[in-house]
């Protein structure tokens, strides 16, 4: 069983670049070391979430699929 | 004429001054059927042969290796699929994920694709490519001379491929601007990208290449081409190419330095920006960067309101609503993307005007979403 996210953001219907903006807005709501997840159908999110992590010094953990088949991207807050 | 704020030459370059008079004269002199033996026909044939000779000389190839096509895209389709058809091996085409959509569409239509990865700068992983090319079902390797979105020059001619696997190179982004590399069997170029008229592509097929026409044939002057020859267009394209090659050292050095200014200033003056592509081994006139938290369409629109015309690879600016497959393959930020490309007369003042305007535009768009 993989580690659960402390907070999950539902950005299912949001267009690019809103899922990444939401991620940045809510990063401070999880503790350093905890996971934050964003659910987004926006195809750009698959590239832009890892790119955001690299640019902002956070850890990109994994991409996975929700029980009902939506893409979910998981990030660990490092600072 | 272009305005100083048109910074999208990589989408299309205006007609080179050297081509304008040639085009106007050839519209009157080159209208006839170049296959006819009467005087107007012989005149058109002479102009067509002149265009072929001039193009061959400018590119350093033989005249009988040059075919004019109705577009760069058609030259890509013909060149690549003709090598696939001529292959004694399989119908798999090995290519990096950053090839132009013309290559990807050709492969999807008439071959099987095996994509290989690229580095963060957009350069093909040469070891992956050569390893994939060794497979017996591989007929052709396709590798662009330089990437059309990020400018990175690819190692065409520096890869150890099997002897019976020919290489097709899409040279549309670089033709005229950089010397053609060695090591290809077929190549393609597009005249409107070097300052020739639209509607002219150049297909190059090496004399010894195993190339077979993948499409229905015709009975024209050149056995590789179909349809009535666009004699005025190809003559103007050849005149522009000669001029661009003659001035390439001076223009290329100036553009390379101006792009260095953009790379440096954008990186220093816009927070949370990623300037991508190889900083040195690149096309002289082109640079791409992405701004975090910025909507690409808003960026294009706001810069246009200030008289600054740029292209974008962001998803929201594409008809498909998917991000640029080039940026995706490189793993770099796809939103807030700008591709800026210089014209031959773009000045330092034009570049500075763009760099002066950009930070405020980016800050304003970010403020709309509270960033």
């Amino acid at each position: 069983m993989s580690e659960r996210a402390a907070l999950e953001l539902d950005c299912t219907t949001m267009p690019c670049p809103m899922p990444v903006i939401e991620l940045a807005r809510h990063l401070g709501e999880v503790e350093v070391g905890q996971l934050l997840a964003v659910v987004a159908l926006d195809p750009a999110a698959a590239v832009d979430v890892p790119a955001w992590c690299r640019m902002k010094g956070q850890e990109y953990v994994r991409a996975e699929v929700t029980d009902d088949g939506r893409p979910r991207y998981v990030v660990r807050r490092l600072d | 004429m272009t305005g100083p704020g048109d910074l999208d030459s990589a989408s299309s370059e205006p007609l080179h001054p050297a081509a304008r008079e040639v085009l106007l004269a050839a519209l009157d002199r080159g209208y006839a059927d170049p296959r006819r033996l009467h005087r107007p026909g012989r005149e058109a044939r002479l102009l067509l042969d002149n265009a072929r000779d001039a193009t061959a000389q400018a590119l350093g190839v033989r005249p009988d290796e040059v075919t004019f096509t109705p577009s760069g895209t058609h030259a890509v389709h013909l060149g690549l699929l003709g090598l696939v058809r001529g292959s004694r091996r399989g119908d798999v085409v090995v290519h990096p994920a950053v090839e132009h959509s013309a290559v990807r569409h050709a492969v999807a239509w008439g071959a099987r694709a095996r994509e290989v990865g690229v580095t963060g700068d957009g350069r093909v992983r040469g070891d992956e490519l050569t390893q994939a090319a060794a497979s017996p079902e591989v007929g052709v390797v396709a590798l662009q001379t330089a990437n059309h979105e990020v400018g990175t020059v690819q190692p065409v001619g520096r890869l150890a491929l099997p002897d019976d696997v020919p290489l097709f190179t899409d040279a549309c982004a670089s033709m005229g601007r950089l010397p053609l590399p060695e090591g290809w069997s077929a190549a393609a170029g597009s005249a409107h990208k070097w300052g020739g008229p639209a509607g002219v592509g150049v297909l190059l097929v090496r004399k010894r290449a195993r190339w077979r026409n993948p499409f229905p044939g015709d009975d024209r002057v050149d056995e590789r081409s179909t349809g009535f020859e666009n004699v005025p267009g190809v003559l103007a394209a050849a005149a522009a190419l000669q001029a661009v090659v003659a001035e390439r050292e001076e223009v290329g050095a100036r553009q390379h330095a101006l792009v260095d200014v953009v790379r440096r200033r954008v990186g220093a003056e816009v927070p949370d920006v990623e300037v991508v592509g190889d900083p040195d081994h690149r096309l002289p006139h082109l640079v791409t960067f992405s701004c975090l938290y910025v909507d690409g369409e808003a960026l294009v629109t706001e810069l246009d309101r200030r008289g600054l015309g740029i292209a974008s690879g962001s998803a929201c600016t594409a008809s498909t609503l998917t991000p640029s497959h080039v940026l995706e393959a490189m793993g770099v930020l796809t939103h807030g993307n700008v591709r800026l490309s210089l014209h031959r007369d773009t000045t330092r003042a034009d570049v500075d005007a763009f760099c002066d305007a950009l930070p405020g535009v980016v800050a304003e768009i970010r403020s709309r979403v509270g960033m």
Side-chain angles (χ1 to χ4, degrees):
Chain A
M1 189 66 195
S2 53
E3 184 184 350
R4 285 184 63 87
L7 178 64
E8 177 170 302
L9 307 170
D10 183 359
C11 302
T12 305
T13 59
M14 289 186 187
C16 159
M18 289 311 295
V20 171
I21 290 172
E22 288 299 304
L23 204 50
R25 277 182 181 150
H26 294 280
L27 182 71
E29 295 169 23
V30 303
E31 302 295 323
V32 171
Q34 283 187 324
L35 300 185
L36 174 63
V38 58
V39 176
L41 294 176
D42 165 26
V47 186
D48 288 355
V49 171
W52 175 82
C53 290
R54 179 168 43 73
M55 290 172 77
K56 303 305 284 182
Q58 310 301 328
E59 182 191 345
Y60 180 65
V61 178
R62 62 180 179 266
E64 58 193 20
V65 179
T66 62
D67 292 340
D68 59 355
R70 292 169 297 156
R72 173 165 51 206
Y73 307 94
V74 184
V75 167
R76 187 186 308 280
R77 182 180 170 194
L78 292 185
D79 72 353
Chain B
M1 290 301 291
T2 52
D6 176 352
L7 297 169
D8 191 19
S9 68
S11 291
S12 199
E13 178 91 17
L15 197 64
H16 194 287
R20 182 171 298 273
E21 284 306 310
V22 171
L23 180 62
L24 291 175
L27 286 171
D28 290 326
R29 285 180 61 204
Y31 68 91
D33 186 339
R35 293 175 313 161
R36 299 296 173 219
L37 300 179
H38 48 59
R39 198 188 57 77
R42 294 198 309 275
E43 178 84 6
R45 177 62 191 264
L46 183 69
L47 298 184
L48 179 60
D49 289 347
N50 285 349
R52 196 185 313 280
D53 289 346
T55 301
Q57 195 181 19
L59 297 176
V61 300
R62 298 164 46 129
D64 60 359
E65 293 175 329
V66 175
T67 295
F68 295 111
T69 65
S71 69
T73 300
H74 192 61
V76 166
H77 293 173
L78 266 179
L80 175 55
L81 294 171
L83 291 179
V84 172
R85 189 139 192 252
S87 171
R88 287 200 183 90
R89 294 167 51 124
D91 64 346
V92 169
V93 177
V94 173
H95 66 84
V98 298
E99 288 293 312
H100 191 275
S101 58
V103 167
R104 292 154 55 95
H105 286 146
V107 173
W109 183 83
R112 288 184 292 151
R114 187 161 306 156
E115 284 198 352
V116 295
V118 296
T119 64
D121 278 347
R123 183 165 289 108
V124 67
R125 295 189 186 280
D127 48 345
E128 266 185 47
L129 186 135
T130 49
Q131 203 176 350
S135 166
E137 56 189 7
V138 170
V140 180
V141 166
L143 179 60
Q144 60 199 184
T145 56
N147 185 268
H148 53 289
E149 278 185 48
V150 303
T152 299
V153 170
Q154 303 288 358
V156 175
R158 302 202 303 276
L159 298 165
L161 299 177
D163 286 341
D164 54 351
V165 175
L167 185 135
F168 168 78
T169 190
D170 167 13
C172 289
S174 72
M175 194 169 276
R177 301 177 187 277
L178 298 176
L180 268 180
E182 296 291 318
W184 47 269
S185 294
S190 179
H192 76 98
K193 289 184 186 289
W194 70 64
V200 178
V202 169
L203 165 66
L204 305 175
V205 178
R206 283 295 193 204
K207 197 65 190 154
R208 60 185 182 283
R210 283 185 57 84
W211 184 92
R212 301 290 178 271
N213 197 333
F215 303 135
D218 201 353
D219 302 308
R220 302 306 307 175
V221 173
D222 177 339
E223 62 178 15
R224 286 191 289 264
S225 74
T226 51
F228 190 84
E229 292 83 356
N230 176 5
V231 172
V234 301
L235 195 68
L241 185 61
Q242 279 186 313
V244 165
V245 168
E247 67 194 14
R248 152 164 86 203
E249 210 168 314
E250 184 270 320
V251 173
R254 178 156 45 81
Q255 290 182 329
H256 205 279
L258 288 176
V259 164
D260 281 341
V261 170
V262 177
R263 294 185 71 99
R264 191 175 63 244
R265 284 200 59 187
V266 168
E269 296 173 35
V270 180
D272 291 327
V273 71
E274 189 166 47
V275 183
V276 303
D278 191 304
D280 303 312
H281 301 290
R282 58 169 169 82
L283 291 170
H285 66 304
L286 182 158
V287 55
T288 299
F289 55 87
S290 297
C291 310
L292 206 50
Y293 314 132
V294 171
D295 171 354
E297 187 177 10
L299 191 52
V300 171
T301 305
E302 287 304 319
L303 287 168
D304 181 56
R305 274 159 46 97
R306 289 159 178 79
L308 299 163
I310 50 93
S312 172
S314 294
C316 50
T317 66
S319 54
T320 54
L321 292 179
T322 55
S324 148
H325 68 271
V326 173
L327 301 176
E328 193 175 6
M330 292 165 63
V332 298
L333 198 66
T334 72
H335 67 246
N337 178 256
V338 168
R339 183 189 69 182
L340 178 151
S341 49
L342 309 177
H343 289 281
R344 48 192 288 282
D345 54 0
T346 302
T347 63
R348 172 67 196 253
D350 301 332
V351 161
D352 279 335
F354 174 85
C355 293
D356 290 344
L358 184 70
V361 170
V362 168
E364 194 273 322
I365 296 171
R366 283 175 176 162
S367 74
R368 294 179 197 172
V369 289
M371 299 302 291

Short mmCIF file of all heavy atoms in Angstrom, two decimals, chain B residues 280-327:
data_model
loop_
_atom_site.label_atom_id
_atom_site.label_comp_id
_atom_site.label_asym_id
_atom_site.label_seq_id
_atom_site.Cartn_x
_atom_site.Cartn_y
_atom_site.Cartn_z
N ASP B 280 24.00 26.63 -26.99
CA ASP B 280 25.07 26.91 -27.96
C ASP B 280 24.87 26.23 -29.31
O ASP B 280 24.90 26.89 -30.34
CB ASP B 280 26.42 26.49 -27.36
CG ASP B 280 26.69 27.19 -26.04
OD1 ASP B 280 26.52 28.43 -26.00
OD2 ASP B 280 27.02 26.51 -25.06
N HIS B 281 24.69 24.92 -29.28
CA HIS B 281 24.56 24.17 -30.54
C HIS B 281 23.10 24.18 -30.97
O HIS B 281 22.36 23.23 -30.72
CB HIS B 281 25.09 22.74 -30.37
CG HIS B 281 26.52 22.71 -29.96
ND1 HIS B 281 27.53 23.09 -30.82
CD2 HIS B 281 27.11 22.44 -28.78
CE1 HIS B 281 28.68 23.02 -30.19
NE2 HIS B 281 28.45 22.63 -28.95
N ARG B 282 22.72 25.29 -31.59
CA ARG B 282 21.31 25.54 -31.88
C ARG B 282 21.18 26.34 -33.15
O ARG B 282 22.15 26.89 -33.67
CB ARG B 282 20.68 26.30 -30.72
CG ARG B 282 21.39 27.65 -30.44
CD ARG B 282 20.60 28.50 -29.48
NE ARG B 282 21.37 29.65 -29.02
CZ ARG B 282 21.53 30.79 -29.70
NH1 ARG B 282 21.01 30.92 -30.91
NH2 ARG B 282 22.23 31.78 -29.19
N LEU B 283 19.93 26.42 -33.64
CA LEU B 283 19.62 27.33 -34.73
C LEU B 283 19.97 28.75 -34.28
O LEU B 283 19.78 29.08 -33.11
CB LEU B 283 18.13 27.25 -35.07
CG LEU B 283 17.65 25.95 -35.72
CD1 LEU B 283 16.13 25.92 -35.78
CD2 LEU B 283 18.24 25.82 -37.12
N PRO B 284 20.45 29.60 -35.20
CA PRO B 284 20.87 30.93 -34.77
C PRO B 284 19.73 31.86 -34.37
O PRO B 284 19.94 32.78 -33.58
CB PRO B 284 21.59 31.49 -36.01
CG PRO B 284 21.13 30.68 -37.16
CD PRO B 284 20.78 29.33 -36.61
N HIS B 285 18.53 31.62 -34.90
CA HIS B 285 17.49 32.66 -34.86
C HIS B 285 16.35 32.38 -33.91
O HIS B 285 15.37 33.13 -33.91
CB HIS B 285 16.92 32.84 -36.27
CG HIS B 285 16.18 31.64 -36.79
ND1 HIS B 285 16.75 30.39 -36.87
CD2 HIS B 285 14.91 31.49 -37.24
CE1 HIS B 285 15.86 29.54 -37.36
NE2 HIS B 285 14.73 30.18 -37.59
N LEU B 286 16.42 31.35 -33.09
CA LEU B 286 15.23 30.86 -32.40
C LEU B 286 15.50 30.54 -30.94
O LEU B 286 16.56 30.02 -30.60
CB LEU B 286 14.79 29.61 -33.17
CG LEU B 286 13.57 28.80 -32.84
CD1 LEU B 286 13.17 28.02 -34.09
CD2 LEU B 286 13.86 27.82 -31.75
N VAL B 287 14.52 30.88 -30.07
CA VAL B 287 14.65 30.54 -28.65
C VAL B 287 13.27 30.26 -28.07
O VAL B 287 12.28 30.86 -28.50
CB VAL B 287 15.34 31.68 -27.85
CG1 VAL B 287 14.63 33.00 -28.02
CG2 VAL B 287 15.44 31.33 -26.36
N THR B 288 13.21 29.33 -27.14
CA THR B 288 11.95 28.94 -26.51
C THR B 288 12.09 28.99 -25.00
O THR B 288 13.12 28.58 -24.47
CB THR B 288 11.55 27.51 -26.94
OG1 THR B 288 11.38 27.50 -28.35
CG2 THR B 288 10.25 27.07 -26.29
N PHE B 289 11.04 29.51 -24.32
CA PHE B 289 11.04 29.49 -22.86
C PHE B 289 9.60 29.35 -22.37
O PHE B 289 8.65 29.61 -23.11
CB PHE B 289 11.71 30.74 -22.28
CG PHE B 289 11.13 32.03 -22.75
CD1 PHE B 289 10.04 32.61 -22.12
CD2 PHE B 289 11.67 32.69 -23.85
CE1 PHE B 289 9.51 33.80 -22.56
CE2 PHE B 289 11.14 33.89 -24.30
CZ PHE B 289 10.05 34.45 -23.65
N SER B 290 9.44 28.92 -21.11
CA SER B 290 8.12 28.73 -20.52
C SER B 290 8.06 29.44 -19.17
O SER B 290 9.02 29.39 -18.39
CB SER B 290 7.83 27.24 -20.31
OG SER B 290 7.80 26.56 -21.55
N CYS B 291 6.92 30.09 -18.92
CA CYS B 291 6.73 30.87 -17.69
C CYS B 291 5.70 30.17 -16.80
O CYS B 291 4.55 29.95 -17.22
CB CYS B 291 6.21 32.26 -18.01
SG CYS B 291 7.16 33.13 -19.28
N LEU B 292 6.11 29.84 -15.59
CA LEU B 292 5.25 29.15 -14.64
C LEU B 292 4.00 29.98 -14.33
O LEU B 292 4.08 31.21 -14.22
CB LEU B 292 6.06 28.90 -13.37
CG LEU B 292 5.71 27.73 -12.45
CD1 LEU B 292 5.58 26.43 -13.22
CD2 LEU B 292 6.78 27.61 -11.39
N TYR B 293 2.86 29.30 -14.17
CA TYR B 293 1.57 29.91 -13.77
C TYR B 293 0.99 30.85 -14.82
O TYR B 293 0.14 31.68 -14.50
CB TYR B 293 1.68 30.67 -12.44
CG TYR B 293 2.42 29.94 -11.34
CD1 TYR B 293 3.42 30.56 -10.59
CD2 TYR B 293 2.12 28.61 -11.05
CE1 TYR B 293 4.10 29.90 -9.59
CE2 TYR B 293 2.79 27.93 -10.05
CZ TYR B 293 3.79 28.58 -9.33
OH TYR B 293 4.46 27.92 -8.34
N VAL B 294 1.47 30.76 -16.07
CA VAL B 294 0.98 31.68 -17.11
C VAL B 294 0.23 30.89 -18.18
O VAL B 294 0.71 29.87 -18.66
CB VAL B 294 2.16 32.46 -17.73
CG1 VAL B 294 1.69 33.24 -18.96
CG2 VAL B 294 2.75 33.42 -16.71
N ASP B 295 -0.93 31.40 -18.54
CA ASP B 295 -1.75 30.82 -19.61
C ASP B 295 -1.13 31.24 -20.96
O ASP B 295 -0.98 32.44 -21.23
CB ASP B 295 -3.17 31.37 -19.42
CG ASP B 295 -4.10 31.04 -20.56
OD1 ASP B 295 -3.66 30.48 -21.58
OD2 ASP B 295 -5.29 31.35 -20.43
N GLY B 296 -0.75 30.26 -21.77
CA GLY B 296 -0.05 30.54 -23.03
C GLY B 296 -0.85 31.42 -23.98
O GLY B 296 -0.31 32.31 -24.63
N GLU B 297 -2.16 31.17 -24.03
CA GLU B 297 -3.00 31.95 -24.94
C GLU B 297 -3.06 33.42 -24.49
O GLU B 297 -2.98 34.34 -25.31
CB GLU B 297 -4.41 31.35 -25.00
CG GLU B 297 -5.28 32.01 -26.05
CD GLU B 297 -6.65 31.36 -26.16
OE1 GLU B 297 -7.00 30.54 -25.30
OE2 GLU B 297 -7.36 31.70 -27.12
N ALA B 298 -3.17 33.63 -23.20
CA ALA B 298 -3.20 35.00 -22.68
C ALA B 298 -1.87 35.70 -22.99
O ALA B 298 -1.85 36.89 -23.33
CB ALA B 298 -3.45 34.97 -21.17
N LEU B 299 -0.78 34.96 -22.88
CA LEU B 299 0.54 35.54 -23.14
C LEU B 299 0.68 35.97 -24.60
O LEU B 299 1.13 37.08 -24.90
CB LEU B 299 1.60 34.49 -22.78
CG LEU B 299 3.06 34.92 -22.71
CD1 LEU B 299 3.24 36.14 -21.82
CD2 LEU B 299 3.91 33.76 -22.16
N VAL B 300 0.25 35.09 -25.53
CA VAL B 300 0.28 35.43 -26.96
C VAL B 300 -0.57 36.67 -27.22
O VAL B 300 -0.15 37.61 -27.92
CB VAL B 300 -0.23 34.24 -27.82
CG1 VAL B 300 -0.41 34.66 -29.27
CG2 VAL B 300 0.73 33.06 -27.74
N THR B 301 -1.77 36.69 -26.62
CA THR B 301 -2.72 37.79 -26.86
C THR B 301 -2.19 39.11 -26.29
O THR B 301 -2.24 40.15 -26.96
CB THR B 301 -4.08 37.45 -26.21
OG1 THR B 301 -4.50 36.18 -26.72
CG2 THR B 301 -5.13 38.48 -26.55
N GLU B 302 -1.69 39.07 -25.06
CA GLU B 302 -1.20 40.30 -24.43
C GLU B 302 0.04 40.85 -25.14
O GLU B 302 0.19 42.07 -25.29
CB GLU B 302 -0.90 40.07 -22.94
CG GLU B 302 -2.14 39.93 -22.09
CD GLU B 302 -3.07 41.14 -22.21
OE1 GLU B 302 -2.57 42.28 -22.24
OE2 GLU B 302 -4.30 40.93 -22.30
N LEU B 303 0.92 39.97 -25.58
CA LEU B 303 2.11 40.44 -26.31
C LEU B 303 1.68 41.01 -27.66
O LEU B 303 2.21 42.03 -28.11
CB LEU B 303 3.12 39.30 -26.48
CG LEU B 303 3.87 38.91 -25.20
CD1 LEU B 303 4.63 37.60 -25.38
CD2 LEU B 303 4.83 40.02 -24.77
N ASP B 304 0.70 40.38 -28.30
CA ASP B 304 0.20 40.88 -29.58
C ASP B 304 -0.41 42.27 -29.42
O ASP B 304 -0.23 43.14 -30.28
CB ASP B 304 -0.82 39.90 -30.16
CG ASP B 304 -1.34 40.36 -31.52
OD1 ASP B 304 -0.50 40.57 -32.41
OD2 ASP B 304 -2.56 40.53 -31.68
N ARG B 305 -1.12 42.50 -28.31
CA ARG B 305 -1.68 43.84 -28.05
C ARG B 305 -0.59 44.90 -27.98
O ARG B 305 -0.83 46.07 -28.23
CB ARG B 305 -2.47 43.83 -26.73
CG ARG B 305 -3.92 43.39 -26.88
CD ARG B 305 -4.48 42.91 -25.54
NE ARG B 305 -4.17 43.81 -24.44
CZ ARG B 305 -5.01 44.74 -23.99
NH1 ARG B 305 -6.18 44.90 -24.53
NH2 ARG B 305 -4.65 45.50 -22.96
N ARG B 306 0.60 44.47 -27.59
CA ARG B 306 1.74 45.41 -27.52
C ARG B 306 2.58 45.37 -28.81
O ARG B 306 3.71 45.85 -28.84
CB ARG B 306 2.60 45.07 -26.31
CG ARG B 306 1.91 45.43 -25.00
CD ARG B 306 2.50 44.65 -23.83
NE ARG B 306 1.88 45.03 -22.56
CZ ARG B 306 0.68 44.58 -22.15
NH1 ARG B 306 -0.01 43.76 -22.91
NH2 ARG B 306 0.18 44.96 -21.00
N GLY B 307 2.03 44.74 -29.85
CA GLY B 307 2.72 44.71 -31.15
C GLY B 307 3.81 43.67 -31.26
O GLY B 307 4.66 43.73 -32.15
N LEU B 308 3.80 42.68 -30.35
CA LEU B 308 4.86 41.66 -30.34
C LEU B 308 4.25 40.32 -30.73
O LEU B 308 3.40 39.78 -30.02
CB LEU B 308 5.49 41.58 -28.95
CG LEU B 308 6.16 42.89 -28.49
CD1 LEU B 308 6.38 42.88 -26.97
CD2 LEU B 308 7.48 43.10 -29.21
N GLY B 309 4.67 39.78 -31.88
CA GLY B 309 4.10 38.54 -32.40
C GLY B 309 5.01 37.36 -32.14
O GLY B 309 6.13 37.29 -32.65
N ILE B 310 4.54 36.42 -31.32
CA ILE B 310 5.33 35.22 -31.02
C ILE B 310 4.46 33.98 -31.17
O ILE B 310 3.24 34.06 -31.17
CB ILE B 310 5.96 35.27 -29.60
CG1 ILE B 310 4.91 35.61 -28.55
CG2 ILE B 310 7.11 36.27 -29.53
CD1 ILE B 310 4.24 34.47 -27.88
N ALA B 311 5.10 32.80 -31.26
CA ALA B 311 4.39 31.53 -31.31
C ALA B 311 4.42 30.89 -29.93
O ALA B 311 5.23 31.28 -29.07
CB ALA B 311 5.04 30.60 -32.34
N SER B 312 3.55 29.90 -29.71
CA SER B 312 3.52 29.22 -28.42
C SER B 312 3.23 27.74 -28.63
O SER B 312 2.41 27.39 -29.48
CB SER B 312 2.46 29.83 -27.51
OG SER B 312 2.32 29.04 -26.34
N GLY B 313 3.88 26.90 -27.82
CA GLY B 313 3.63 25.46 -27.88
C GLY B 313 2.72 24.99 -26.76
O GLY B 313 2.59 23.80 -26.53
N SER B 314 2.09 25.95 -26.05
CA SER B 314 1.22 25.57 -24.94
C SER B 314 -0.07 24.94 -25.45
O SER B 314 -0.55 25.28 -26.53
CB SER B 314 0.89 26.79 -24.08
OG SER B 314 2.06 27.26 -23.45
N ALA B 315 -0.65 24.07 -24.61
CA ALA B 315 -1.84 23.31 -25.01
C ALA B 315 -2.98 24.24 -25.41
O ALA B 315 -3.69 24.00 -26.39
CB ALA B 315 -2.26 22.41 -23.87
N CYS B 316 -3.16 25.32 -24.64
CA CYS B 316 -4.33 26.16 -24.88
C CYS B 316 -4.20 26.94 -26.19
O CYS B 316 -5.18 27.51 -26.66
CB CYS B 316 -4.53 27.11 -23.72
SG CYS B 316 -3.06 28.00 -23.27
N THR B 317 -3.04 26.98 -26.81
CA THR B 317 -2.88 27.68 -28.08
C THR B 317 -2.96 26.71 -29.26
O THR B 317 -2.90 27.11 -30.40
CB THR B 317 -1.52 28.41 -28.17
OG1 THR B 317 -0.48 27.44 -28.18
CG2 THR B 317 -1.33 29.34 -27.00
N ALA B 318 -3.12 25.41 -28.98
CA ALA B 318 -3.13 24.41 -30.05
C ALA B 318 -4.56 23.98 -30.36
O ALA B 318 -5.40 23.92 -29.46
CB ALA B 318 -2.31 23.19 -29.64
N SER B 319 -4.84 23.68 -31.61
CA SER B 319 -6.19 23.25 -32.00
C SER B 319 -6.56 21.95 -31.30
O SER B 319 -7.72 21.69 -31.04
CB SER B 319 -6.25 23.08 -33.51
OG SER B 319 -5.25 22.19 -33.95
N THR B 320 -5.56 21.14 -30.98
CA THR B 320 -5.82 19.84 -30.35
C THR B 320 -5.98 19.94 -28.84
O THR B 320 -6.35 18.95 -28.20
CB THR B 320 -4.65 18.90 -30.62
OG1 THR B 320 -3.45 19.56 -30.17
CG2 THR B 320 -4.52 18.56 -32.08
N LEU B 321 -5.68 21.11 -28.25
CA LEU B 321 -5.67 21.31 -26.80
C LEU B 321 -4.71 20.36 -26.08
O LEU B 321 -4.87 20.06 -24.90
CB LEU B 321 -7.07 21.19 -26.21
CG LEU B 321 -8.02 22.34 -26.61
CD1 LEU B 321 -9.40 22.13 -26.02
CD2 LEU B 321 -7.46 23.70 -26.20
N THR B 322 -3.70 19.86 -26.81
CA THR B 322 -2.65 19.09 -26.16
C THR B 322 -1.35 19.90 -26.26
O THR B 322 -1.17 20.67 -27.21
CB THR B 322 -2.44 17.72 -26.83
OG1 THR B 322 -2.20 17.94 -28.23
CG2 THR B 322 -3.66 16.83 -26.67
N PRO B 323 -0.47 19.73 -25.28
CA PRO B 323 0.76 20.52 -25.32
C PRO B 323 1.69 20.04 -26.43
O PRO B 323 1.54 18.93 -26.95
CB PRO B 323 1.38 20.28 -23.95
CG PRO B 323 0.78 19.01 -23.45
CD PRO B 323 -0.56 18.88 -24.08
N SER B 324 2.64 20.86 -26.78
CA SER B 324 3.66 20.51 -27.77
C SER B 324 4.31 19.18 -27.44
O SER B 324 4.79 18.97 -26.32
CB SER B 324 4.73 21.61 -27.78
OG SER B 324 5.99 21.08 -28.08
N HIS B 325 4.34 18.28 -28.43
CA HIS B 325 4.96 16.97 -28.16
C HIS B 325 6.47 17.11 -27.99
O HIS B 325 7.11 16.26 -27.39
CB HIS B 325 4.63 15.98 -29.28
CG HIS B 325 5.25 16.29 -30.60
ND1 HIS B 325 4.65 17.09 -31.54
CD2 HIS B 325 6.44 15.93 -31.14
CE1 HIS B 325 5.43 17.19 -32.59
NE2 HIS B 325 6.52 16.50 -32.38
N VAL B 326 7.03 18.21 -28.49
CA VAL B 326 8.47 18.44 -28.33
C VAL B 326 8.79 18.76 -26.86
O VAL B 326 9.67 18.15 -26.25
CB VAL B 326 8.95 19.59 -29.24
CG1 VAL B 326 10.40 19.95 -28.95
CG2 VAL B 326 8.77 19.22 -30.71
N LEU B 327 8.04 19.74 -26.31
CA LEU B 327 8.27 20.12 -24.91
C LEU B 327 7.98 18.93 -24.00
O LEU B 327 8.71 18.69 -23.02
CB LEU B 327 7.38 21.31 -24.55
CG LEU B 327 7.58 22.57 -25.40
CD1 LEU B 327 6.57 23.65 -25.00
CD2 LEU B 327 9.00 23.10 -25.27
#
